[in-house]
Amino acid sequence: MSEAALAHVKALRDKQGNDLCLRVGVRQGGCSGMSYMMDFEDIGNVGEHDEVYDYDGFKVVCDRKSLLYLYGLMLDYSDALIGGGFQFTNPNASQTCGCGKSFGT
């Protein structure tokens, strides 16, 4: 996770007012077959089949099945007017859609 992405998710979490972690994963769908998902989740919902990564005190959680597709993923954030938002750079993706929110392997 880049410094820009970390700063942005921390700011978003602070607006929620709770001690939340960021869950990342994949699901079937999207233009290229699989789509990325991200959402805040209560840290108490982290299970034994989840991998937890700590970024300067901020926890990122991923289930092991999704991790097969996301291992090595780089999450970045840009506030550019065109093309801004979160960007996923996934070394496991053999194809990506134009919006960058889905991929295929």
Side-chain angles (χ1 to χ4, degrees):
M1 181 179 298
S2 72
E3 290 295 321
L6 181 60
H8 193 70
V9 294
K10 282 183 172 182
L12 290 172
R13 180 204 51 192
D14 291 346
K15 289 180 183 178
Q16 301 279 330
N18 298 325
D19 187 24
L20 302 171
C21 61
L22 180 68
R23 179 172 291 278
V24 296
V26 297
R27 63 177 173 230
Q28 294 291 334
C31 308
S32 298
M34 302 192 85
S35 61
Y36 299 106
M37 56 149 267
M38 302 190 323
D39 204 359
F40 289 111
E41 183 169 61
D42 187 277
I43 197 73
N45 292 337
V46 175
E48 65 183 47
H49 298 290
D50 290 322
E51 295 291 326
V52 180
Y53 301 92
D54 189 277
Y55 289 90
D56 198 24
F58 181 79
K59 295 196 178 354
V60 176
V61 179
C62 183
D63 65 273
R64 291 184 183 153
K65 186 175 178 182
S66 291
L67 193 58
L68 294 172
Y69 300 100
L70 299 179
Y71 189 77
L73 175 82
M74 177 61 167
L75 180 63
D76 196 7
Y77 180 80
S78 169
D79 58 4
L81 292 175
I82 297 176
F86 287 103
Q87 288 97 32
F88 301 89
T89 304
N90 188 346
N92 306 300
S94 60
Q95 61 184 5
T96 58
C97 68
C99 70
K101 305 300 182 208
S102 69
F103 67 99
T105 56

